[in-house]
Amino acid sequence: MTYRRAVIPALVGGLLITLLLWWAGASEQALQLRGTSSVFDVQSVTELRRWLAPWSYDPPTGSLSDGAAGGDAVSTGGAQYSDLYNTALQIRFVAVFVFFVAGALLLVHRIPPTQGRTPATLLAVWAWAPVAATLAVTVSAPWLIVSRGHGSYRFLPQLAGVIASSGPVTVFVGLLTALATVLVACLTAKDTEPQPRQSVPPRAARLAASAGTAVVALSVVILSYQSVAAWIQTSFGGGGLLSEPGDLLRQWLLLGAWTDPATGPFGDWLLYRAADVLVLVVVWWALRLLPGLLTRTTVTAMAVGAVCATVWGLLASQVLHMAIDDTVDVWGPVYLFSKLGTGIPAALTFGILAGPAALVTLRLAGGREIGESPGETGR
């Protein structure tokens, strides 16, 4: 599919995810109405508000500075910080539109929903939605932090906290967005020349997938080990505004967390390690199929595809965690999904590294370049 055709579903998806996140943020105020507790328990209401707060124009109580003095200065200072908060949200919504459109445009162009690729296109666009939301939250975070009135205090830990706040809502919104995007892409691809799936030497594809998975395993197995994670958390110093980067580094480097089996029951330890293994299995399988799904194996396409594969590995492991979680009766059913979508920044970091590593290995192992179909133009 040409870029000219792919831009239509990408724009539709970008508008839809922006509107859905805006609607979700506006719905946060409804959870404060009297009678909400008759529908949800208190814990569920609190959790839902936490999910929706990053997209709400209504700032959390006490989150904005009230100024340094009384009288008119209080009103003026509060209005200025409120304007900063609104600016942060405006940047956030514009950014989520731009980031989603950019990624969806590439994915629909390189993995068009034809010749059996439709499920792969749907999964890839779905995985890209929380990535776009995380990038949008990251870009708008400085304005949000400053609006609290203490942006110069522990800025990097505050930045890490804001980035981690995008929540499971982006995963659910991403599903609706991906369905609409792929449906429009199927309609726009009806009149195009079919692009058959290319064959990739099995050995080269397996080696490429193994190389990419090894990059992801660096985070899951090595960096996520308790002692290494603690070293990342505490070993980087600094001063002033950029001091204490440990929380931020953990956000962008750690795909999991694990300890020795001596810290708890061995059976539970094995179950949680099975979730870590599931991350690597999903990543390996996705990278194994990715070169054959792409109409052309470029560095950018492999990197974005590897990011989506890593996100799906994370989501699969989180679903397994949900299956073995026994805290639902204590915290309510909504809490069961509270961890869904965490780890997206690290998935972005190691997906970007895993894609080129897989591509280089594919080339060295003898995988030929997958070219464009003869009728494709507009690249």
Side-chain angles (χ1 to χ4, degrees), residues 1 9 16 41 53 60 126 137 163 169 234 273 300 317 330 379:
M1 182 185 293
L16 183 59
D41 56 83
W126 186 1
V137 169
I163 293 172
V169 66
T234 59
R273 297 297 71 74
T300 306
S317 70
V330 179
R379 289 185 292 153

Side-chain angles (χ1 to χ4, degrees), residues 29-349:
Q29 299 181 26
L31 295 174
Q32 306 176 32
L33 299 177
R34 183 179 302 175
T36 304
S37 58
S38 64
V39 180
F40 302 102
D41 56 83
V42 176
Q43 292 87 351
S44 296
V45 170
T46 302
E47 190 65 21
L48 286 172
R49 290 186 64 184
R50 186 184 69 83
W51 292 7
L52 302 178
W55 307 99
S56 174
Y57 271 90
D58 186 25
T61 304
S63 65
L64 304 182
S65 175
D66 292 328
D72 293 337
V74 172
S75 176
T76 303
Q80 290 175 344
Y81 286 111
S82 179
D83 289 343
L84 279 172
Y85 184 88
N86 291 334
T87 299
L89 268 293
Q90 292 166 5
I91 293 172
R92 183 165 298 182
F93 283 111
V94 171
V96 76
F97 173 81
V98 172
F99 283 125
F100 181 85
V101 169
L105 179 61
L106 178 66
L107 290 170
V108 173
H109 174 60
R110 293 300 183 196
I111 313 178
T114 57
Q115 297 294 324
R117 295 187 182 97
T118 304
T121 309
L122 176 64
L123 292 176
V125 175
W126 186 1
W128 182 253
V131 174
T134 299
L135 290 172
V137 169
T138 303
V139 168
S140 61
W143 284 266
L144 188 67
I145 293 171
V146 172
S147 73
R148 296 169 178 170
H150 44 79
S152 61
Y153 174 70
R154 302 185 75 235
F155 177 79
L156 294 183
Q158 289 189 77
L159 181 60
V162 172
I163 293 172
S165 68
S166 57
V169 66
T170 58
V171 178
F172 298 122
V173 166
L175 173 59
L176 298 176
T177 303
L179 288 171
T181 302
V182 173
L183 177 61
V184 175
C186 289
L187 295 176
T188 57
K190 275 188 174 181
D191 300 330
T192 61
E193 182 179 350
Q195 295 176 292
R197 294 178 59 173
Q198 305 293 330
S199 61
V200 180
R203 177 177 174 275
R206 288 193 294 268
L207 288 174
S210 299
T213 305
V215 174
V216 177
L218 174 64
S219 174
V220 176
V221 178
I222 298 176
L223 299 183
S224 296
Y225 182 58
Q226 184 182 37
S227 59
V228 180
W231 177 82
I232 293 173
Q233 178 77 39
T234 59
S235 295
F236 295 93
L241 188 65
L242 301 181
S243 62
E244 303 181 64
D247 290 335
L248 190 62
L249 289 173
R250 285 172 65 97
Q251 283 285 331
W252 291 90
L253 295 179
L254 271 59
L255 284 165
W258 65 283
T259 60
D260 295 326
T263 57
F266 185 70
D268 292 344
W269 184 86
L270 284 179
L271 280 175
Y272 282 100
R273 297 297 71 74
D276 294 335
V277 172
L278 184 59
V279 175
L280 301 180
V281 170
V282 171
V283 170
W284 187 91
W285 185 253
L287 292 179
R288 163 70 178 82
L289 299 177
L290 183 60
L293 293 170
L294 294 171
T295 56
R296 187 169 179 235
T297 50
T298 63
V299 174
T300 306
M302 286 292 290
V304 173
V307 168
C308 295
T310 310
V311 170
W312 270 112
L314 272 179
L315 293 178
S317 70
Q318 289 160 4
V319 170
L320 181 56
H321 277 290
M322 290 162 51
I324 61 180
D325 194 356
D326 58 356
T327 61
V328 178
D329 294 335
V330 179
W331 297 103
V334 176
Y335 184 79
L336 184 65
F337 301 95
S338 63
K339 301 298 182 183
L340 198 62
T342 58
I344 298 297
L348 181 62
T349 299

